[in-house]
Amino acid sequence: MDDPDKGAANPWGLAWSADSQTLVTTHAGTHAVYVTHFPELLDQLSHHRRKSSGIQEIHSDPLAAGLTNELPFILNSRRHVALPKTDLGPRAAMVVGQKVYVANYFSDTLDVIDLAARRLAAVSLPLGPKPGMSLVRQGEFYFNDAGIGREGWQSCYSCHPGDGRTDGLNWDLINDGIGNPKNTRSLLLSYQTPPAMSLGVRATAEIAVRAGIKGTLFSDQPEAVPAAIDAYLRSLKPVPSPWLVNGDLSPAAGRGQRIFQEVGCARCHPPGLFTNLRAYNVGTGRSFDQPTDKFYTPTLVEIWRTAPYLHDGSAATVREVLTTRNPRDQHGVTSDLSAEEVDDLCAYLLSL
Ligand code: HEC
Ligand code: HEC
């Protein structure tokens, strides 16, 4: 979706015209809408010409033509519509006849784009008086806004979607050296569980937020920006697990809770925050890591929604954390648990 020299961060909504000719995408991080003429896009894909050693070849298979590495071809088939400065965070879109309607999450406004016009433009529809933004809301806005990042490629939200949680992907950030990718962490409880990052390279979440703006978004921002992001992230509340039954542990999770205590998990993951805030080598280091690396015990609150697990995302499920990724019982003694006991323990962990 990006232009070669400008990002189109956080694509959010998608809408088709009734005749399937026009595809509309909203870009929540860059406050813009793209209008793509779809037949033209298909046409370009099938007739993509690739110049190699002076000879023009016509490829029928776009992947064989190396198209995935060539962004510019798409530019001819789509138009970029920037929203008015007052309209922020376009999300849902809908095409009704020749009109595109776009709902803007942060400004609480609606835009209309007339597809029949020669020059496409977004016009704001007033919806009545607008409430001001609280500090928390302001922080949520900056967290989602690729405008605070270099060239609009990404915002904090791009890797921490779903209210500051995780995209589940590994990223090789520079704060702990390069060549050792880490799984994106959820930011729920980050302010209560210092230090930040799996290796603890940032003493607090506040420091991590400021370092993230500089080192991940490559930009300088006035202190008001990270201060508002702090307020937003501090306001995050755990969402009750869908594994709970009427708000309580299921019978299996109840049995798992006892096992959790018996096999010593609670020593490092004591109920409450479910971390004792200390670092250990629990046998999870792999070839990308240093043999001396110790990882800070993560909270277990809300792990039902943060797969994959461990610092490098190497466990797809909680069960793998306790079984295939714990072969020598360095991470709690789990090898003598029966299959049913492991199930019960997993049910408990996924209920937190
Ligand atoms: C390219 C993806 C990416 C982007 C963009 C990104 N982060 Fe992260 N973030 C990560 C990863 C990966 C980690 C875990 C790193 C580790 O464990 O060493 C992380 C960890 C953190 C942590 C530490 C959490 C904890 O409790 O240990 C904070 C705080 C944080 N990010 C805030 C931010 C903020 C604020 C922004 C925007 C300024 C941002 N991140 C942008 C990928 C990203
Ligand atoms: C000696 C301290 C210690 C003990 C005992 C311990 N853990 Fe951990 N736990 C850790 C550390 C450290 C990590 C992070 C490892 C990593 O990221 O590679 C971790 C990670 C986890 C994770 C992954 C969380 C995530 O978000 O990635 C789960 C699940 C977990 N532990 C459950 C348990 C269970 C269940 C037990 C008991 C069988 C247990 N732990 C015993 C220290 C401990």
Side-chain angles (χ1 to χ4, degrees):
M1 302 303 306
D2 300 309
D3 288 347
D5 56 356
K6 193 175 186 317
N10 308 346
W12 194 293
L14 198 72
W16 289 95
S17 61
D19 60 6
S20 305
Q21 302 286 296
T22 307
L23 174 63
V24 173
T25 51
T26 63
H27 297 269
T30 46
H31 320 295
V33 172
Y34 280 134
V35 176
T36 302
H37 188 251
F38 205 68
E40 214 166 295
L41 177 66
L42 292 182
D43 197 49
Q44 302 228 359
L45 279 168
S46 53
H47 294 290
H48 181 63
R49 286 159 196 272
R50 182 193 188 203
K51 290 196 185 107
S52 63
S53 46
I55 306 162
Q56 281 214 333
E57 299 167 40
I58 297 177
H59 289 270
S60 54
D61 175 359
L63 291 180
L67 205 54
T68 46
N69 295 322
E70 286 185 42
L71 295 174
F73 90 94
I74 208 174
L75 298 179
N76 306 326
S77 53
R78 72 165 189 215
R79 284 179 286 173
H80 176 268
V81 186
L83 299 188
K85 289 264 174 294
T86 46
D87 293 350
L88 302 170
R91 292 193 172 180
M94 186 173 226
V95 185
V96 183
Q98 288 293 300
K99 297 260 181 5
V100 179
Y101 294 90
V102 178
N104 304 308
Y105 177 74
F106 284 104
S107 52
D108 202 7
T109 52
L110 204 62
D111 277 293
V112 194
I113 302 168
D114 182 0
L115 292 175
R118 277 198 45 215
R119 227 187 122 265
L120 297 185
V123 177
S124 201
L125 275 188
L127 297 177
K130 271 191 280 172
M133 278 198 206
S134 65
L135 184 65
V136 166
R137 179 88 166 157
Q138 190 78 48
E140 184 187 3
F141 169 66
Y142 289 134
F143 193 83
N144 280 262
D145 183 21
I148 68 162
R150 197 176 183 87
E151 294 171 351
W153 295 111
Q154 60 184 2
S155 69
C156 309
Y157 170 93
S158 309
C159 298
H160 296 283
D163 287 328
R165 267 57 173 206
T166 166
D167 60 2
L169 298 175
N170 282 1
W171 297 97
D172 195 4
L173 304 184
I174 49 179
N175 57 16
D176 58 356
I178 50 171
N180 52 354
K182 300 287 185 303
N183 199 241
T184 304
R185 303 188 68 160
S186 167
L187 307 180
L188 177 71
L189 301 178
S190 285
Y191 290 74
Q192 281 120 286
T193 58
M197 308 295 169
S198 46
L199 286 169
V201 293
R202 303 290 177 210
T204 63
E206 284 88 345
I207 293 172
V209 166
R210 283 145 188 85
I213 293 173
K214 257 196 169 30
T216 310
L217 301 187
F218 303 107
S219 95
D220 281 310
Q221 294 296 324
E223 171 57 24
V225 171
I229 292 178
D230 287 342
Y232 164 59
L233 294 176
R234 281 178 190 283
S235 78
L236 301 178
K237 300 262 178 321
V239 173
S241 166
W243 286 67
L244 294 171
V245 180
N246 300 325
D248 282 327
L249 294 179
S250 68
R255 293 191 297 272
Q257 184 178 32
R258 282 190 295 280
I259 299 168
F260 187 82
Q261 296 290 342
E262 283 159 19
V263 302
C265 313
R267 180 162 69 86
C268 301
H269 298 283
L273 289 173
F274 287 91
T275 164
N276 61 0
L277 309 182
R278 289 170 188 235
Y280 300 94
N281 175 353
V282 288
T284 54
R286 293 206 306 167
S287 56
F288 288 143
D289 304 306
Q290 300 296 322
T292 51
D293 279 352
K294 288 182 179 169
F295 300 101
Y296 277 85
T297 307
T299 176
L300 302 178
V301 176
E302 247 195 28
I303 59 168
W304 57 270
R305 67 184 299 200
T306 58
Y309 304 103
L310 301 178
H311 66 283
D312 58 356
S314 57
T317 59
V318 166
R319 172 176 274 275
E320 279 181 31
V321 174
L322 307 177
T323 55
T324 49
R325 295 289 281 119
N326 188 26
R328 281 186 294 281
D329 280 343
Q330 283 164 281
H331 188 181
V333 180
T334 52
S335 62
D336 49 13
L337 295 178
S338 68
E340 291 74 31
E341 286 170 324
V342 173
D343 283 344
D344 291 346
L345 187 51
C346 290
Y348 175 60
L349 295 170
L350 293 169
S351 303
L352 296 175

